[in-house]
Each structure stands twice: as structure tokens, then as C-alpha cells.
Amino acid sequence: MSQAAIQNRTFTTADTEFDVELRKVFKVFNHESVVRGVDLAIRRGEFFSILGPSGCGKTTTLRLIAGFETPSSGEVLIRGQLVNRVPPYRRPVNTVFQSYALFSHLTVWENIAFGLRLKKQSKAEVQIQVDEALKLVKMDGFAKRFPAQLSGGQQQRVALARALVNRPAVLLLDEPLGALDLKLRKEMQVELSTLHQELGLTFVMVTHDQEEAMSLSDRIAVMNQGNIEQIDSPERIYEHPKTPFVADFIGDTNLFHGKIEGFSADALWLITDNGLKIKAKPSNSGEALTSGSVVISVRPEKIRLSLSPFEYEANAFEGRLRTVMYLGTHVHYVVELASGDRLTVMQPSLSGELPGEDTPLYLMWDVNDCLALSMSGAR
């Protein structure tokens, strides 16, 4: 098929439950792979987030879906159709950028109408669709204003309206709230969630903000160095990380390096590099752990503190309080064990005086709250 034929064909929907699929997709820049064999299958109507640190390949992955980049190998499908060579304006997707990319010389109304006018729609159709989009994002009273006359949150709403007015099958969000302050970002998170529920569209968001991804997403893909480490629900990503990177990147955790000394069907006995003896449960990654080096993860909120010893044989240790920080709803402790390990502990704020630095404290955690991860999962 000629390039002209590809660009001018009408996009139809195949019979598939997935709106977006990536199959063994690689992207190479200057002989370096920034996306390495990515496999994704994003369901219709899902709020799906691609989460990872800067430079992990998440934005490039989004650009491959949008059509701004072409895969070096592999396949990109939208609603069952291969779109590797289909240009962005022929794909049933629209992108909302972190910078909003609004035209400063056009009014709010004209910004939203821009894409419709390019499609040669009638004035009546444009009027109806723009007005509907403005109402959808609660900006119908700002139609005649220019972007410079709007707050950051209002500009974000206009960018959303401009993307939604074209009625895409998939809305792509590239760090959509990154330019907003904390309070406004939280407000917009609620609005994005509400908008997704009302419209039923597929949202694909790229972000480095863990809380944002956890609070908004049906599922999350965690990326690291061009690879996807895990795809799962927010709860399973947090409670059951499959690799040391995911455990460390999502939320706070305490990590120990050690070796397996024994095992049973549902538990592992380990000794850390500093000599701590720990009992843990194996990861559900599918890899059987029976020997070798492991990383042990314990979330700060899973650790219990006491001024007196615990009557437990496993995962009970004595230490000294080194730092205490009152955070309102929680208290953040750093406790140093005799081994030299420093553990972060998060406890709900309770009435009463907080212990002072150098106070002897006892720590323990349940075996089910202690996860052993294979070192082979670390990249």
C-alpha cells in the first residue's frame, strides 16, 4: 500500500477488547534502545498509566502510540489495526501535553475549534461540539478569553477539551498535571477521574508521579531502562511487587540484601549481608526461590514499634531511635539496629509524647509483610 493510501484511509474498528496493543516494540535512537521489546494490551475504557523515572522510555512509548515516533521493530495496534505507518492525524487518538500547547493568539473557543475546522466541519457542527466540550470541562464561561488570561488549571481544562472535542477512541496524557502546584494537581486528579468515568474513553497516561498513577489508574505499567518490570493493579503493584526496582520505586520501603538459608512451601529463611536473620514470603513473580541472593522488602507502615520486647522469634529486633519527624497524620521514625541497618518506620499519630532520639525501641513485622525478591529481577 502506498504512503498516500495509508494516510488517506478511513480508520475502522476491529473486533477486539483492546484499544491499544504493543507487541515486542523496540525503539532505537543513535544505536541505543530506549524502548526494549515492550508488550502492552490496554483494554477498552481502561485508565492505564505508564509509570517510571526520567529517561526510562515511558514518553517514547506514548509517542509510539500517538504516531509521533515509528517503532524500529515490533507492532503498534489501535483497536486491532496495525498503525506503524499511519500518521498521527489519521489515528483515533489525541494527546494532551504537559505544556498544554495552546495557541496564544487564539481564544479558548478558537483553540478548541481548531482541529474541527481543519476537518472542514460545518460552522453549525463546530459550534455544537465546541460548546459541548466547554461544558464538559466546566469552561463554558471562558470561551472568549485567551490562554494568557487563564490559570494553569484552566489551561489544562482547555487542553483536555481540545483533545476530547475530536472524539478520540484513546486519550493520551503526557505528564498532564506536571506543571501544576500540589493543591491544584490533586484537584485536577479528581476531575480527570470523574471525566474518565463519565466518558468511558480509554485514557493512557505517562507520569513519574507514583501517587498520581496509584490514585487514577485501573492498571499501571512500571518501566525501567526501556523495559516493563510489571503490569498490575495499583494494589498489587504496591503489595506484591515482582522485582526489587518496583518495590523500591513504588512508595517507600526498607530493602535488605541477603541469601537464602532455608525454605518451605510458603516461607523463606534468609540472612542479610549484615547478619540479620529474617523470615519472609517469596514473591509471586512465578520464579521459585530456593537458593541464591535475594532482596528483602518491608514497607515502613508494616513495621510495629514498642518500648518493650516482642514475644516473637521471627523478624523481631532491638534498635535505637535516630530520627523522629511528626507529619500530622503520621510519625516518621528512623531506627538503627545493632547490625548497623537503618529502618524507616511509619506509624499513625496518636496522642501522647513522642519518644526522644536514642530511645531504645523494639521492632517487628509479620512474615506476610516481608517479601523476598530474586536478584535476577533487578536490572
Side-chain angles (χ1 to χ4, degrees):
M1 183 182 291
S2 69
Q3 186 66 24
I6 290 171
Q7 293 185 357
N8 290 306
R9 75 179 182 182
T10 301
F11 202 96
T12 58
T13 301
D15 184 18
T16 174
E17 65 176 299
F18 301 113
D19 266 351
V20 177
E21 294 176 83
L22 274 64
R23 299 175 180 172
K24 302 293 182 216
V25 169
F26 285 81
K27 181 62 183 178
V28 179
F29 291 113
N30 299 322
H31 307 292
E32 181 181 354
S33 293
V34 295
V35 175
R36 304 175 179 179
V38 164
D39 285 299
L40 283 178
I42 301 172
R43 301 184 188 103
R44 188 160 302 169
E46 189 171 29
F47 199 126
F48 190 95
S49 290
I50 304 172
L51 174 67
S54 297
C56 71
K58 59 186 184 295
T59 295
T60 301
T61 301
L62 195 78
R63 290 175 62 84
L64 288 163
I65 298 169
F68 300 129
E69 302 288 351
T70 303
S72 302
S73 64
E75 297 180 334
V76 178
L77 296 92
I78 298 177
R79 292 201 164 174
Q81 289 199 27
L82 184 66
V83 295
N84 284 27
R85 297 174 61 199
V86 176
Y89 64 89
R90 288 290 177 189
R91 299 187 186 195
V93 303
N94 272 103
T95 306
V96 177
F97 300 96
Q98 180 179 353
S99 62
Y100 313 138
L102 300 176
F103 298 113
S104 60
H105 64 290
L106 299 180
T107 66
V108 166
W109 196 96
E110 290 167 336
N111 263 282
I112 298 171
F114 186 81
L116 299 175
R117 286 172 168 171
L118 283 180
K119 294 179 178 179
K120 307 296 185 184
Q121 293 198 13
S122 70
K123 287 184 179 180
E125 288 174 329
V126 171
Q127 184 72 52
I128 291 170
Q129 292 183 48
V130 172
D131 289 349
E132 286 178 351
L134 282 166
K135 288 179 182 177
L136 187 65
V137 297
K138 302 179 180 65
M139 289 292 290
D140 38 321
F142 297 81
K144 294 182 179 180
R145 293 195 188 184
F146 289 89
Q149 298 173 308
L150 304 175
S151 68
Q154 289 167 340
Q155 290 183 40
Q156 177 63 270
R157 289 188 182 96
V158 175
L160 281 166
R162 187 177 61 180
L164 292 169
V165 77
N166 290 300
R167 300 175 183 176
V170 181
L171 185 66
L172 306 177
L173 303 158
D174 186 6
E175 300 276 7
L177 310 180
L180 305 178
D181 62 52
L182 179 61
K183 186 173 185 296
L184 186 54
R185 189 159 68 242
K186 289 185 177 296
E187 291 174 1
M188 287 300 297
Q189 286 176 10
V190 174
E191 292 193 17
L192 262 184
S193 179
T194 301
L195 201 59
H196 174 253
Q197 291 172 21
E198 289 178 352
L199 295 173
L201 294 178
T202 301
F203 281 25
V204 182
M205 180 176 71
V206 155
T207 183
H208 67 275
D209 188 312
Q210 302 162 28
E211 182 184 339
E212 193 168 279
M214 298 283 282
S215 63
L216 290 172
S217 310
D218 296 310
R219 286 190 303 152
I220 299 170
V222 182
M223 285 195 76
N224 179 30
Q225 298 180 359
N227 300 282
I228 291 182
E229 299 255 343
Q230 185 172 349
I231 300 175
D232 239 321
S233 68
E235 180 183 3
R236 292 194 64 79
I237 288 278
Y238 186 82
E239 298 289 350
H240 304 284
K242 292 184 177 180
T243 70
F245 174 83
V246 174
D248 193 30
F249 185 74
I250 303 296
D252 296 319
T253 196
N254 297 286
L255 295 178
F256 304 91
H257 290 77
K259 295 185 181 299
I260 297 173
E261 287 201 323
F263 63 93
S264 65
D266 56 1
L268 299 169
W269 286 266
L270 315 118
I271 185 162
T272 71
D273 294 348
N274 289 335
L276 293 180
K277 293 185 178 181
I278 294 176
K279 185 178 180 183
K281 69 174 182 178
S283 163
N284 64 343
S285 64
E287 181 179 359
L289 294 177
T290 56
S291 63
S293 298
V294 294
V295 174
I296 305 150
S297 170
V298 186
R299 297 288 186 190
E301 70 276 12
K302 305 293 188 182
I303 300 175
R304 292 168 57 189
L305 285 179
S306 175
L307 293 172
S308 55
F310 289 98
E311 295 181 1
Y312 294 93
E313 294 184 3
N315 305 337
F317 306 98
E318 182 181 358
R320 293 268 175 173
L321 181 60
R322 294 305 181 210
T323 305
V324 57
M325 290 185 289
Y326 178 76
L327 302 176
T329 58
H330 286 75
V331 181
H332 176 282
Y333 301 93
V334 176
V335 181
E336 184 174 357
L337 305 184
S339 62
D341 293 290
R342 289 197 171 202
L343 276 70
T344 300
V345 183
M346 292 290 286
Q347 298 282 291
S349 294
L350 301 173
S351 58
E353 187 176 347
L354 295 173
E357 291 187 20
D358 208 37
T359 299
L361 290 175
Y362 297 87
L363 303 82
M364 70 82 57
W365 57 84
D366 190 90
V367 63
N368 291 317
D369 295 324
C370 183
L371 192 63
L373 303 162
S374 172
M375 281 295 292
S376 64
R379 296 187 188 278

